[in-house]
Amino acid sequence: MVASSSSFQSSINTNTNNQKSSSLAYAASSTAGPMSQVDPNARSGGCPFLVTSLDAQRTYAVPALFHPSDEQRPIVLFDGSCTLCNNFVQFLLKYDKTGNLRFAALQSKVGELLLRRMSEEVRNEVLHVIVDDNDDDASSNKEEQEQYKSLVLCTPDSTYIQSSAVLKILGSLSSTSAKRIKLLQYVGLAGYVLPTRIRDRVYKFVSKRRKSWFGSADECMLYDDRFDDRFVDDGVLTGVFRDPFADPNAAQTTNDIDVLNLFEGESPPQRGDQVQIIWPQNSNLDPSVTYDDEFPNGLCLVGGRGKITNVDLPMRVVMRVDRKSIGLEKDDMGEETMIAWVKPSEVALV
């Protein structure tokens, strides 16, 4: 797992004007089982439909993680340094027989991107940054430590946190005859009787004490090829895939694609070159997201492929992106490509 940058919180706060609020509303899954008894169309009175105080709004799409034609399974983000969280993931892997859920650590690049697409208000419920001043000269001796406060469930266009995430995850478990799962799903169903603020108070009480009660995980979970398609690799964003048989706790080695801006090299990409859009491992900036009439909530371009049409250094590279590479059909005019611009550091040769 790759730790997120220490300047993560400060860099994303400058980009929140372009961010859309994440959804904290919960409407139950149609998955067979006790949770399927929840009526997702109920809008007022009693239970089970409950909404948090925040408005439910869509977030920008990330085809690299949620490809419209290939991959729509939700992603569970968990604290990789938390023993309780790791045990919960192992529990889900065991009982989610049909693989309805995928997983990524909050400390990973996948976790960082999904945090960045949240509104600041929602993100602050998940991530807490502690700034320690190591010297009287605070401006040059500040050390930031990130603490994660909530499990997160991300769908293609929504985000669930705290107790809503837990209930949604229980509802997503595949039908099973295991008595303990049935019991948990009935408990989850009963949870809808409680107002969200009460459920979340219980969640926060446990979350604050989980590491003192259950301890911290000093090591990442070892690779298991039985769950190869259940953990989302940072390589889908960065272009650098992990070696599944390498020591997961070994120090990260520098890779050229992580740090090299191709336009600063001896043979920079030229107009007409076929390239891929990545999000470099060392980037502290938001990934390139396009907003227009077709994508009012935004579309993250990472993972897209296309040809360079213009180079406007140092600010941007204009591309004609293949719509199919980001899971899109032809537009209303029959076009198979779309014009978009990305940062020079996000360009990698195919």
Side-chain angles (χ1 to χ4, degrees), residues 235-286:
V236 299
L237 304 177
T238 65
V240 181
F241 290 85
R242 69 173 183 266
D243 177 359
F245 299 103
D247 180 0
N249 303 301
Q252 295 291 322
T253 57
T254 301
N255 189 300
D256 289 344
I257 198 170
D258 288 344
V259 299
L260 179 62
N261 183 336
L262 295 179
F263 293 95
E264 297 176 353
E266 296 181 356
S267 301
Q270 302 293 322
R271 181 176 181 179
D273 284 351
Q274 188 78 15
V275 296
Q276 179 174 344
I277 304 169
I278 63 171
W279 192 34
Q281 184 68 59
N282 65 334
S283 177
N284 293 325
L285 303 174
D286 284 335

Side-chain angles (χ1 to χ4, degrees), residues 60-117:
Y60 63 73
V62 187
L65 301 178
F66 302 101
H67 197 282
S69 61
D70 296 331
E71 185 60 88
Q72 292 283 290
R73 291 179 297 169
I75 297 176
V76 177
L77 300 179
F78 64 98
D79 184 352
S81 65
C82 167
T83 299
L84 177 62
C85 302
N86 278 284
N87 289 340
F88 183 57
V89 170
Q90 295 289 353
F91 172 83
L92 294 174
L93 287 169
K94 180 178 180 180
Y95 289 103
D96 182 20
K97 301 294 186 181
T98 57
N100 291 335
L101 299 169
R102 293 178 292 160
F103 304 91
L106 281 159
Q107 292 90 339
S108 69
K109 202 67 176 175
V110 171
E112 182 182 341
L113 186 146
L114 292 174
L115 282 171
R116 284 177 180 269
R117 78 169 187 165

Side-chain angles (χ1 to χ4, degrees), residues 118-132:
M118 300 177 190
S119 68
E120 183 178 5
E121 186 174 9
V122 176
R123 188 168 51 246
N124 288 339
E125 292 294 322
V126 178
L127 174 65
H128 177 56
V129 178
I130 301 175
V131 180
D132 293 329

Side-chain angles (χ1 to χ4, degrees), residues 43-75:
R43 285 295 181 270
S44 63
C47 64
F49 187 87
L50 294 171
V51 182
T52 65
S53 58
L54 298 179
D55 293 333
Q57 297 185 20
R58 296 169 63 88
T59 57
Y60 63 73
V62 187
L65 301 178
F66 302 101
H67 197 282
S69 61
D70 296 331
E71 185 60 88
Q72 292 283 290
R73 291 179 297 169
I75 297 176

